[in-house]
């Protein structure tokens, strides 16, 4: 059976701050040895957030790289740089014959230390001709020498690629090019990479104006309390089969349901259901907003095509405003036989509530607190969305790929934790192909997350915000304990880095709240 990430996790998910912990170990394709050695030559493995931080630090001083640069080093290297597109660059490096000889000798010396040849105790006396078959023949030996050559990048390459994203560096080499390697001749190879993106602002973020529509108010809270009490009565009551009329608000039904995008015909992930229970009072949450109202009047055995437009508060955000075609069929229809709402029922539901009035007051207080929290989160989301809108940068695809892997792994982990998928299904989804498909489908969202990270790094530094060692240690200890309890390994340095980023976000949001103009609009009816 073929699985997709969207199919198992569903269409609804939250867009918040960068995911706190990713604990799934997935079978993603690893970089080649050559590429890994190149990373080591460029001062180790840099992280997504570190790159955002560096990009912010240098954005005010780095000018756009020239279209063409040509250098000749004292060691005889010839290095030229050309612009490909946007922040993409290519370096063409020609190493002199003496450097090729040096790389070959070093490769042979290392091979004598590591290769075990039957019949020889001391490899120092083994001829190169005898050693080559154990290195993969002539082509394998040349590839190892080329790797050694590229690993020792000349200063001219390092200077020209100083602002390159390490993970984006890829050698352009073919078997024919490697086969042409000759210690008596110069050797030319090419490296392509992305430059660190530069962050600018469309307008100053200080004092930006944000309008937020309230998630709810006292009137909507009272309506939700009435719905909650109705659900309690329904659970305490029973169902009676309906005959001779169509569906009414307040009824329940068994339905067949399917939903597709009207423009592409693409099925909504996880939407297709057969003989599933539907309560008209909760159909908007259980299915799609507006479905219940559009089903009014349907009789048993009837099917209906329903046209919907997803509202502007729908999650995920990319589906807002999308036209949807739903196919609904009613197989059975029921009405509720409800018990009276009296003090005895209220006490049974909430002992000590003091009857119906006390139950309503208790539920309203809880709903008011939830609405207040939802409104606060809506303000936070609006502030973050506005920051992303004001921030400008050309996000290289190499950064998108890494952010995509982090998010994809985190979502696999979440789906596993919620028992939406099994471990085996997670491993089936943890492939390079599935990751790339998911990344392409969520390109805009991933670019937004990267811009948000870069913008937040800028604000944190520019406004002089700080974290205490105690704060960082507490966050780190909580995260480490989480991994330990699940008997999972983790990189301590990376975990501490994530702890820092998790603590920065709330401080930046608080600063934005204090320094921006926020207008709260009334909740929609």
């Amino acid at each position: 059976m073929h699985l997709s990430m969207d199919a198992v996790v569903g269409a609804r998910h939250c867009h918040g701050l960068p995911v706190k912990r990713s604990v799934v170990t997935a079978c993603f394709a690893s970089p080649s040895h050559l590429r890994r050695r190149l990373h080591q030559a460029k001062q180790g493995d840099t992280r997504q957030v570190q790159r955002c931080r560096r990009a912010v630090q240098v954005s005010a001083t780095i000018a756009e790289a020239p279209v063409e640069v040509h250098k000749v080093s004292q060691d005889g290297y010839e290095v030229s740089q050309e612009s490909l597109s946007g922040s993409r660059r290519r370096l063409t490096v020609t190493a002199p014959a003496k450097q090729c000889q040096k790389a070959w000798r070093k490769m042979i010396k290392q091979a004598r230390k590591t290769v075990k040849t039957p019949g020889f105790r001391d490899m120092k006396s083994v001829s190169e001709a005898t050693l080559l078959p154990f290195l993969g023949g002539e082509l394998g030996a040349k590839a190892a020498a080329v790797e050694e050559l590229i690993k020792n990048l000349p200063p001219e390459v390092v200077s020209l690629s100083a602002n390159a994203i390490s993970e984006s560096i890829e050698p352009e080499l073919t078997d024919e090019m490697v086969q042409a390697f000759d210690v008596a001749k110069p050797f030319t190879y090419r490296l392509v990479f992305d430059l660190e993106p530069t962050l600018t602002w469309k307008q100053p973020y200080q004092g930006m104006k944000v309008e937020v529509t309230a998630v709810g108010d006292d009137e909507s809270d009272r309506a939700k309390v009435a719905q909650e009490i109705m659900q309690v009565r329904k659970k305490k009551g029973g169902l009676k089969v309906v005959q001779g009329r169509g569906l009414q608000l307040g009824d329940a039904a068994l339905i067949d349901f399917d939903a597709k995008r009207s423009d592409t015909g693409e099925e909504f992930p996880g939407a297709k259901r057969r003989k599933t229970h539907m309560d008209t009072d909760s159909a908007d949450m259980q299915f799609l907003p507006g479905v219940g109202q559009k089903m009014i009047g349907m009789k048993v055995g009837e099917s209906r095509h329903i046209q919907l437009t997803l509202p502007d508060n729908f999650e995920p955000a990319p589906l807002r405003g999308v036209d949807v075609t739903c196919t609904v069929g009613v197989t059975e229809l029921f009405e509720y036989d409800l018990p009276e709402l009296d003090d005895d029922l209220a006490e049974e539901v909430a002992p000590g509530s003091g009857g119906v009035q006390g139950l309503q007051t208790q539920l309203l207080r809880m709903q008011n607190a939830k609405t207040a929290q939802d409104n606060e989160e809506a303000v936070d989301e609006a502030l973050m969305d506005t920051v992303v809108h004001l921030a400008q940068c050309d996000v290289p695809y190499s950064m998108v790929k890494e952010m995509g892997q982090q998010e994809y792994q985190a979502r696999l982990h979440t789906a596993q934790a919620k028992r939406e998928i099994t471990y085996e299904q997670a491993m089936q989804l943890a492939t390079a192909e599935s990751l790339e498909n998911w990344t392409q489908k969520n390109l805009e969202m991933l670019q937004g997350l990267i811009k948000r990270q870069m913008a937040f790094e800028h604000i944190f530094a520019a406004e002089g915000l700080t974290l205490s060692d105690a704060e960082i240690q507490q966050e780190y200890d909580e995260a480490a304990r989480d991994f330990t309890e699940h008997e999972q390994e983790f990189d301590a340095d990376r975990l501490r880095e994530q702890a820092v980023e998790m603590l920065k976000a709330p401080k930046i949001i608080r600063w934005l709240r204090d320094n921006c103009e926020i207008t709260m609009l009334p909740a929609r009816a």
Side-chain angles (χ1 to χ4, degrees):
M1 176 180 63
H2 176 71
L3 293 172
S4 69
M5 184 61 183
D6 290 332
V8 295
V9 178
R12 294 172 182 261
H13 62 272
C14 297
H15 295 298
L17 298 173
V19 178
K20 184 172 181 179
R21 301 177 183 102
S22 294
V23 296
V24 172
T25 302
C27 307
F28 294 105
S30 61
S32 67
H33 292 296
L34 183 56
R35 187 175 170 194
R36 187 160 54 244
R37 297 290 285 274
L38 282 168
H39 294 175
Q40 294 168 355
K42 281 190 51 62
Q43 302 179 345
D45 177 30
T46 55
R47 304 297 186 186
Q48 185 87 10
V49 173
Q50 290 173 332
R51 285 205 300 275
C52 291
R53 188 177 300 125
R54 285 204 312 275
V56 168
Q57 290 170 346
V58 303
S59 63
T61 59
I62 294 181
E64 180 67 17
V67 174
E68 291 188 6
V69 177
H70 186 78
K71 292 185 177 183
V72 179
S73 72
Q74 294 179 350
D75 294 332
Y77 278 95
E78 291 188 25
V79 184
S80 63
Q81 175 180 279
E82 61 180 311
S83 299
L84 299 180
S85 62
S87 60
R88 195 72 167 163
R89 299 290 183 268
R90 176 190 285 127
L91 291 182
T92 300
V93 183
T94 300
K98 63 180 180 180
Q99 295 297 333
C100 296
Q101 294 165 8
K102 183 178 178 180
W104 180 269
R105 289 194 299 268
K106 190 171 182 180
M107 179 275 296
I108 291 295
K109 183 178 179 180
Q110 184 64 28
R112 293 184 192 280
K113 293 179 181 179
T114 57
V115 173
K116 303 299 181 183
T117 307
F120 293 89
R121 291 185 179 180
D122 185 2
M123 297 300 296
K124 294 179 181 179
S125 61
V126 175
S127 67
E128 289 186 10
T130 303
L131 191 61
L132 289 186
F134 297 94
L135 298 176
E138 182 183 18
L139 183 61
K142 286 184 176 183
V146 169
E147 179 178 345
E148 186 64 39
L149 181 67
I150 298 179
K151 185 185 73 172
N152 295 292
L153 300 174
E156 288 69 28
V157 173
V158 174
S159 66
L160 287 176
S161 61
N163 300 317
I165 298 173
S166 294
E167 286 77 4
S168 72
I169 301 176
E170 296 180 352
E172 288 186 338
L173 287 172
T174 63
D175 287 347
E176 290 75 15
M177 294 171 67
V178 174
Q179 183 66 56
F181 176 84
D182 188 331
V183 295
K185 298 178 181 179
F187 181 76
T188 299
Y189 60 89
R190 297 180 181 87
L191 303 175
V192 292
F193 58 86
D194 293 319
L195 292 176
E196 301 280 4
T198 300
L199 179 72
T200 59
W201 297 92
K202 296 178 184 177
Q203 64 186 63
Y205 59 83
Q206 300 92 336
M208 65 184 188
K209 298 180 180 181
V210 177
E211 290 187 347
V212 186
T213 301
V215 176
D217 53 21
D218 192 62
E219 181 180 351
S220 64
D221 285 352
R222 292 183 183 279
K224 289 178 181 178
V225 168
Q227 290 175 359
E228 191 169 349
I229 291 176
M230 177 60 71
Q231 289 302 316
V232 170
R233 295 175 65 195
K234 287 179 178 180
K235 289 180 181 179
K236 294 293 183 180
L239 288 171
K240 298 187 297 183
V241 175
V242 171
Q243 294 180 340
R245 68 169 175 83
L247 181 75
Q248 298 177 355
L249 287 178
D251 287 345
L254 288 181
I255 68 170
D256 294 334
F257 182 83
D258 196 6
K260 298 180 180 179
R261 289 184 61 128
S262 301
D263 54 355
T264 65
E266 180 183 3
E267 289 192 3
F268 261 53
K272 194 170 187 176
R273 309 178 204 179
R274 292 292 176 264
K275 293 188 177 180
T276 188
H277 177 83
M278 183 206 71
D279 187 321
T280 53
D281 289 336
S282 57
D284 286 3
M285 290 296 295
Q286 188 180 0
F287 296 91
L288 289 175
V291 166
Q293 187 68 40
K294 297 266 189 174
M295 289 179 59
I296 299 304
M298 289 186 69
K299 296 181 179 180
V300 174
E302 182 181 348
S303 293
R304 184 177 293 180
H305 294 296
I306 297 173
Q307 303 296 325
L308 299 172
T309 298
L310 299 182
D312 57 9
N313 61 347
F314 188 78
E315 292 294 343
L319 293 178
R320 294 172 184 174
V322 169
D323 293 328
V324 182
T325 301
C326 303
T327 303
V328 184
V330 177
T331 59
E332 292 188 66
L333 185 58
F334 307 95
E335 61 181 355
Y336 286 94
D337 185 11
L338 300 175
E340 290 295 325
L341 177 61
D342 53 23
D343 290 344
D344 290 338
L345 179 60
E347 279 295 319
E348 182 182 350
V349 173
S353 61
V356 174
Q357 187 65 39
L359 175 62
Q360 291 174 332
T361 301
Q362 180 179 327
L363 292 176
L364 183 59
R365 184 167 56 248
M366 294 170 61
Q367 184 59 48
N368 287 158
K370 182 180 184 304
T371 297
Q373 181 180 347
D374 290 344
N375 285 334
E376 290 293 300
E377 291 177 357
V379 171
D380 292 348
E381 281 292 331
L383 287 170
M384 290 187 287
D385 289 345
T386 305
V387 164
V388 171
H389 175 71
L390 294 181
Q392 295 185 119
C393 70
D394 180 18
V395 180
Y397 190 63
S398 56
M399 292 183 72
V400 173
K401 285 177 66 176
E402 184 176 357
M403 177 62 77
Q405 179 165 329
Q406 293 175 8
E407 287 290 306
Y408 189 72
Q409 287 180 338
R411 292 170 195 274
L412 281 179
H413 166 61
T414 300
Q416 254 189 284
K418 292 181 177 180
R419 301 184 184 279
E420 294 171 340
I421 59 174
T422 64
Y423 174 81
E424 290 74 19
Q425 288 174 322
M427 289 301 97
Q428 183 180 345
L429 290 166
T431 64
E433 181 181 1
S434 296
L435 169 62
E436 179 63 22
N437 290 339
W438 186 87
T439 299
Q440 287 294 332
K441 289 180 65 176
N442 295 275
L443 194 61
E444 185 176 347
M445 180 268 290
L446 295 171
Q447 289 172 334
L449 288 178
I450 294 169
K451 288 173 64 176
R452 181 189 298 179
Q453 281 188 343
M454 293 181 64
F456 273 26
E457 284 293 339
H458 177 96
I459 295 171
F460 192 87
E463 305 305 330
L465 305 180
T466 59
L467 297 173
S468 69
D469 292 339
E471 288 177 301
I472 297 172
Q473 189 62 45
Q474 181 179 354
E475 179 70 18
Y476 171 84
D477 289 342
E478 290 179 4
R481 184 164 52 250
D482 193 6
F483 278 103
T484 302
E485 288 176 356
H486 289 85
E487 298 181 349
Q488 292 175 333
E489 297 180 357
F490 60 90
D491 183 323
D493 291 338
R494 178 66 185 277
L495 195 61
R496 186 171 296 277
E497 180 183 289
Q498 289 181 336
V500 169
E501 298 312 312
M502 286 302 300
L503 291 169
K504 280 183 178 180
K507 291 207 171 191
I508 296 167
I509 290 295
R510 282 195 295 272
W511 186 92
L512 290 172
R513 280 177 170 272
D514 293 339
N515 293 275
C516 297
E517 183 180 326
I518 301 171
T519 302
M520 206 73 182
L521 302 177
R524 294 185 179 88

